[in-house]
């Protein structure tokens, strides 16, 4: 399996257990509750990083018969979900039912966007801040960079027309892990008093190396 290039059509045909086995070949541990679409996206990215050739090959079944049927992955429901890849990137994926999809195509000037809502509390209905992201053409998934300092996020799938906007679906609220304020506020060259334990951990050296390699991440 590791010698074959992966594509979305072939992965959609595999069961979740087969996807887990494939991920194991790449050395990836998969939680039992991981969303299937997120796992497929991770496998595609891993395949792109490890394969040098550009031609995609269809994964064969046990009888070595090629499967040519392409599954769209659309379950005829309006859905949008999101999951953290890490504290800086949000992976958003969605479906649109056939009726709304046809209606949107017929509306002149319509644009499909992701509306990312920042919440102060997971139960808040009204967001404290909102920004919109243009979706990729013919795509049903997208990575979104998370602004610094956010605690809770909700993604909304919206269609924008010249006459207004319409929310097609919204995701569950996602909590953003919060780091130590002491570590977040560290800056190279600033006179910071480290505890004996922090000194033993090599925190000062780690901070220096981080600044050398990733200066753009320091404000």
């Amino acid at each position: 399996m590791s010698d074959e290039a992966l594509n979305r059509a072939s992965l959609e045909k595999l069961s979740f257990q087969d996807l887990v086995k494939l991920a194991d070949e790449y050395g990836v541990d998969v939680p039992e509750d991981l969303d299937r679409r997120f796992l497929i996206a991770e496998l595609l990215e891993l395949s792109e990083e490890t394969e040098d050739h550009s031609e995609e090959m269809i994964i064969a079944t046990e009888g070595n018969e090629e499967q040519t049927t392409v599954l769209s992955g659309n379950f005829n429901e309006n859905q949008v979900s999101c999951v953290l890849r890490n504290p800086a990137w949000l992976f958003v994926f969605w479906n649109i039912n056939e009726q709304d999809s046809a209606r949107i195509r017929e509306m002149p000037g319509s644009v499909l966007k992701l509306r990312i809502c920042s919440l102060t509390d997971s139960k808040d209905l009204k967001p404290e801040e909102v920004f919109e992201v243009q979706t990729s053409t013919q795509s049903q998934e997208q990575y979104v960079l998370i602004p610094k300092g956010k605690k809770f996020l909700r993604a909304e799938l919206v269609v924008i027309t010249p006459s207004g906007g319409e929310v097609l679906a919204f995701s569950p609220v996602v909590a953003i892990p919060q780091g130590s304020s002491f570590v977040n506020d560290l800056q190279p060259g600033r006179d910071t008093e480290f505890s004996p334990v922090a000194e033993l951990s090599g925190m000062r050296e780690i901070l220096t190396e981080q600044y050398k390699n990733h200066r753009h991440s320091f404000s």
Side-chain angles (χ1 to χ4, degrees):
M1 186 70 72
S2 59
D3 294 332
E4 297 180 343
L6 304 183
N7 57 55
R8 178 168 297 281
S10 63
L11 293 178
E12 289 283 3
K13 299 181 181 72
L14 299 179
S15 66
F16 184 78
Q17 290 75 14
D18 289 335
L19 291 173
V20 172
K21 292 179 182 178
L22 184 57
D24 186 61
E25 294 183 16
Y26 284 95
V28 177
D29 292 327
V30 180
E32 294 183 358
D33 58 346
L34 182 67
D35 189 277
R36 173 188 173 87
R37 291 176 62 86
F38 183 67
L39 177 55
I40 290 175
E42 287 294 308
L43 287 171
L44 289 173
E45 184 170 334
L46 288 170
S47 177
E48 291 176 0
E49 293 176 354
T50 56
E51 294 295 336
D52 295 327
H53 58 278
S54 59
E55 293 184 2
E56 291 187 341
M57 299 176 61
I58 299 177
I59 299 176
T61 61
E62 293 180 357
N64 292 326
E65 296 179 357
E66 292 185 347
Q67 300 294 318
T68 57
T69 302
V70 178
L71 302 181
S72 66
N74 193 320
F75 302 103
N76 206 32
E77 295 181 2
N78 289 340
Q79 296 179 333
V80 60
S81 299
C82 54
V83 64
L84 289 178
R85 172 166 185 168
N86 53 47
W89 286 96
L90 187 70
F91 179 68
V92 187
F93 51 98
W94 61 91
N95 286 320
I96 303 177
N97 67 44
E98 295 177 359
Q99 181 179 357
D100 283 338
S101 182
R103 180 169 59 88
I104 292 171
R105 288 195 300 268
E106 294 172 357
M107 288 191 295
S110 63
V111 179
L112 193 65
K113 292 187 176 183
L114 295 175
R115 179 180 294 158
I116 308 301
C117 305
S118 172
L119 312 173
T120 56
D121 187 89
S122 61
K123 298 181 180 180
D124 286 348
L125 298 178
K126 184 177 181 181
E128 63 172 349
E129 186 176 336
V130 172
F131 67 93
E132 294 181 348
V133 179
Q134 177 74 51
T135 62
S136 302
T137 304
Q138 303 300 324
S139 177
Q140 290 180 286
E141 58 192 39
Q142 189 160 326
Y143 282 101
V144 177
L145 182 63
I146 302 174
K148 183 179 179 182
K150 303 305 178 185
K151 295 182 178 180
F152 300 95
L153 294 178
R154 182 181 67 237
E156 296 180 351
L157 183 64
V158 299
V159 56
I160 306 298
T161 66
S163 60
E166 176 186 353
V167 178
L168 299 177
F170 56 89
S171 74
V173 175
V174 175
I176 311 299
Q178 303 297 308
S180 167
S181 59
F182 174 77
V183 174
N184 291 338
D185 294 337
L186 290 176
Q187 293 287 344
R190 183 179 297 172
D191 188 14
T192 303
E193 183 177 351
F194 290 90
S195 68
V197 174
E199 287 285 2
L200 289 173
S201 71
M203 178 65 71
R204 194 181 300 275
E205 291 76 14
I206 292 174
L207 179 64
T208 301
E209 287 300 315
Q210 174 73 4
Y211 180 73
K212 288 180 179 177
N213 299 319
H214 307 282
R215 297 187 183 185
H216 58 278
S217 65
F218 289 84
S219 58

